[in-house]
Amino acid sequence: MNVNRSGILFLFLLLFLVSPYCAEAQKKSTRTTKKAPTKSKAQLEREKAANLRRIKEANRILEQTAQKKQASLGQLNVIKEKITVQKGVIKNISSEITYLNKDLQTTEEKVSETQSDLERLKKEYARQIYAASKTANSYNKLMFLFASESFNQMMRRMRYLRQYTEARKKQAAAIEQVQQNLSQQLSTLTTQKQQKKSLLDVQLKENKNLLTMHDQQDQVIQQLSLQEQSLKQEVEKRQQAVRQLDNLIAELVREEIARAARAAEAAAKAKAAREAAAAAKAGKPAPEPTEPARSTASTNRVTLTPEGAALSSNFASNKGRFAWPVGRGFISQRFGRHNHPVLRGVVVENRGIDIQTGANEQVRSIFGGKVLAVQTIPGMNNIVMIQHGEYFTVYAKLRTVNVSEGQEVDAKQAIGTVYTDAEGTSELQFQIWKNQSNLNPEGWLQRK
């Protein structure tokens, strides 16, 4: 039989060219979109939850201060806190949109690539069908097999025919798989576009809310400006209370330094006496007496016992991890010198931080220690000072006190409740000292 060998050659060549292409197409069709770093997205979710919680807390506190008809610094502080948190919300949304834009771009690239793959697969499949139909019309398969020059050649041709048929089936399956992937990608793309639109709408809404908050802030500042004289009197009373508190703390620390020095000196004398008695009993000469550590009384540091040194070390090692002295609230005034929020040219100084919170909020010791003092100062109300080795924590503006001087307290133990002033502002003054050095408490507390 005469067989068109060029047609046969075309058939075999097509078979071997298509098979690897099919495998590559299927491999491409199963590629997945690269994900944005999960850690960053998880961080965004945590920040979002924290912002929502802070806004909720601020709204509760604002409701309390807003019950008074007259504008107050407490109201202004809450509105400022809400503005700060609102900016964080908007920044969080912008970051989400950035990640979503990256996902959209990746998905669009994937869709484009998949569409190209699908088009190539379809064209290749069409060529296979055309080649198969052309061969079938020109030659009978039996004639093609019987034209073999040997039995081995006939078996090879049978195997090639089967492989070619399988290749067409694989090509069809690859087309179907790519079509399914494309459908899923298009669905994902639609969802991502909807998410982006929703986020943009939320961002627009939150920007409007921010403008409203700024308007509220301006209104409160304007109202407070009309109370300039009373505000100046309030600042003077506060500064007087701060000076009294500073003097009290300095005096208490000096007394503790002196007491610890005396205790250390007495312990050294007792130790020397015991050593001398032991030497006399053993018939040995008494050891040379050492100079008592009188110099410690004039230093600026507390002379620590081994237990006190361990407590101090433990306190210092927990820096940045202490729970807040109140369960909820925000920092209404930070550590250091600041311009008054309303009065021009007036600078106020804060030895600690003011934490504005809700009425009757419990105040807790941030660490275990001994209550060094419970005092009362006009403008600061009740004050509790707790010693932690050479560290001291001060809790001022308390309405009630649950502890007494000399009492040992544990970490997170309730020591009293926050005082609420006539304007409806509930605020705690919190300080940390190391010996006679004033520290910024914000760096010692957990970040909210």
Side-chain angles (χ1 to χ4, degrees), residues 360-363 397-402 415-419:
N360 300 317
E361 187 74 21
Q362 278 195 339
V363 179
K397 296 186 181 180
L398 302 183
R399 182 176 66 85
T400 62
V401 175
N402 304 340
I415 61 174
T417 56
V418 174
Y419 172 74

Side-chain angles (χ1 to χ4, degrees), residues 22 42 59 72 92 108 206 250 253 263 274 276 339 358 405 417 419:
C22 264
N59 284 333
S72 66
N92 187 275
E108 287 173 347
E206 298 300 344
V253 172
R274 287 194 303 271
N339 292 325
E405 291 183 4
T417 56
Y419 172 74

Side-chain angles (χ1 to χ4, degrees), residues 374-377 380-384 395-401 417 419 428:
V374 176
Q375 300 279 352
T376 301
I377 291 179
M380 287 291 174
N381 225 53
N382 293 314
I383 298 158
V384 174
Y395 311 79
K397 296 186 181 180
L398 302 183
R399 182 176 66 85
T400 62
V401 175
T417 56
Y419 172 74
L428 172 72

Side-chain angles (χ1 to χ4, degrees), residues 243-256:
R243 287 192 292 270
Q244 291 183 24
L245 180 59
D246 287 348
N247 292 335
L248 174 63
I249 293 171
E251 181 183 355
L252 290 170
V253 172
R254 282 196 301 269
E255 289 178 357
E256 179 58 25

Side-chain angles (χ1 to χ4, degrees), residues 158-196:
M158 289 179 65
R159 185 168 64 252
Y160 293 154
L161 286 173
R162 283 197 301 269
Q163 289 177 348
Y164 182 65
T165 302
E166 290 173 0
R168 286 168 53 192
K169 291 180 180 179
K170 288 182 180 179
Q171 191 81 354
I175 290 173
E176 183 178 358
Q177 181 62 47
V178 171
Q179 286 175 330
Q180 291 177 0
N181 290 342
L182 180 60
S183 177
Q184 292 174 357
Q185 291 161 6
L186 289 172
S187 176
T188 300
L189 187 62
T190 301
T191 301
Q192 289 173 341
K193 287 181 177 179
Q194 291 173 347
Q195 289 175 345
K196 181 179 178 179

Side-chain angles (χ1 to χ4, degrees), residues 227-281:
Q227 307 171 30
E228 182 175 351
Q229 191 60 36
S230 62
L231 286 177
K232 286 182 178 179
Q233 293 175 358
E234 184 180 331
V235 169
E236 180 56 34
K237 287 181 181 178
R238 176 185 170 86
Q239 294 302 97
Q240 185 178 353
V242 167
R243 287 192 292 270
Q244 291 183 24
L245 180 59
D246 287 348
N247 292 335
L248 174 63
I249 293 171
E251 181 183 355
L252 290 170
V253 172
R254 282 196 301 269
E255 289 178 357
E256 179 58 25
I257 289 174
R259 184 207 63 77
R262 290 193 299 271
E265 185 177 343
K269 288 181 178 179
K271 181 180 178 182
R274 287 194 303 271
E275 290 176 349
K281 187 176 181 181

